[in-house]
Amino acid sequence: AQKVTQAQTEISVVEKEDVTLDCVYETRDTTYYLFWYKQPPSGELVFLIRRNSFDEQNEISGRYSWNFQKSTSSFNFTITASQVVDSAVYFCALSAPHRKYIFGTGTRLKVLA
Amino acid sequence: DTGVSQDPRHKITKRGQNVTFRCDPISEHNRLYWYRQTLGQGPEFLTYFQNEAQLEKSRLLSDRFSAERPKGSFSTLEIQRTEQGDSAMYLCASSPPPETTNYGYTFGSGTRLTVV
């Protein structure tokens, strides 16, 4: 069975601090996709990144970076120099090819000015 | 391309009434998904269409729930005889085949259902 665990329910940081959101997944599939989505207070889920299981390269996009480690089944997300606008709920998700996404329960990030 | 549109944004209904939600996906996306999200939880899969064919349904989708996607364009999700436990945000998403893109689903803004 597939499962995504986001153990951090809520994190509060002060603006400009770095913060890492953890995601641990379980799957028996050899090929799978991992995702991060942002859900701001407005409610719409915003796609941030997709990572394929065969590509373990870490990725950086501006202040965002992702660390994918198959050995520990983790796909962690780091925001550098956090800003108030980063305040949202962040979801990690997993899917096999052509299958539905399995979402974690989310981590609520509060960035305080 | 205006993204995924959902209508209505909010719906308040009395227990026992039927409700119908509509989703208009991105036009070139052949896959359409319905998810349900309750407070403090991640989205849970309900059902999935590839073009007009409904390929998978979750066990969460009781007999009171039905979804259609006639002509492979927009989709509707109907809940009959609503119960208070149906109160949630209903999210629609669409995507092209995953092998053709390096992106994920595009989600709509959701329909928030409140059953009183």
Side-chain angles (χ1 to χ4, degrees), chain A residues 33 35 37 39 42-47 49-52 59 89 91 95-106 108, chain B residues 4 9 31 33 35 37 40-45 48 50 56 89 91 95 97-99 101-109:
Chain A
Y33 306 116
F35 306 85
Y37 277 82
Q39 190 172 42
S42 60
E44 187 166 339
L45 281 157
V46 177
F47 168 81
I49 191 171
R50 158 179 151 169
R51 176 59 71 221
N52 302 333
E59 177 142 349
V89 181
F91 290 97
S95 82
H98 308 287
R99 301 301 303 275
K100 59 184 178 286
Y101 291 11
I102 305 298
F103 285 85
T105 51
R108 180 177 298 278
Chain B
V4 177
R9 290 294 307 275
R31 298 178 182 212
Y33 311 82
Y35 279 74
Q37 185 178 20
Q41 299 298 313
E44 293 177 297
F45 172 78
Y48 149 52
Q50 183 167 307
E56 188 175 353
M89 175 76 86
L91 295 163
S95 78
E99 63 271 16
T101 179
N102 201 32
Y103 294 95
Y105 296 167
T106 300
F107 279 89
S109 299

Side-chain angles (χ1 to χ4, degrees), chain B residues 19-92:
Chain B
V19 294
T20 300
F21 310 141
R22 176 179 170 125
C23 172
D24 287 89
I26 293 173
S27 56
E28 59 267 29
H29 288 181
N30 66 337
R31 298 178 182 212
L32 186 148
Y33 311 82
W34 285 98
Y35 279 74
R36 181 172 68 185
Q37 185 178 20
T38 53
L39 203 60
Q41 299 298 313
E44 293 177 297
F45 172 78
L46 293 179
T47 190
Y48 149 52
F49 291 85
Q50 183 167 307
N51 300 313
E52 66 275 12
Q54 188 173 20
L55 297 186
E56 188 175 353
K57 290 173 60 173
S58 165
R59 283 170 288 183
L60 291 175
L61 217 63
S62 76
D63 291 344
R64 297 184 297 105
F65 287 70
S66 63
E68 293 182 342
R69 193 183 182 196
K71 304 176 184 177
S73 56
F74 71 92
S75 175
T76 57
L77 178 67
E78 180 183 16
I79 309 174
Q80 297 181 326
R81 305 182 302 282
T82 52
E83 302 172 355
Q84 287 189 322
D86 296 332
S87 296
M89 175 76 86
Y90 289 84
L91 295 163
C92 177

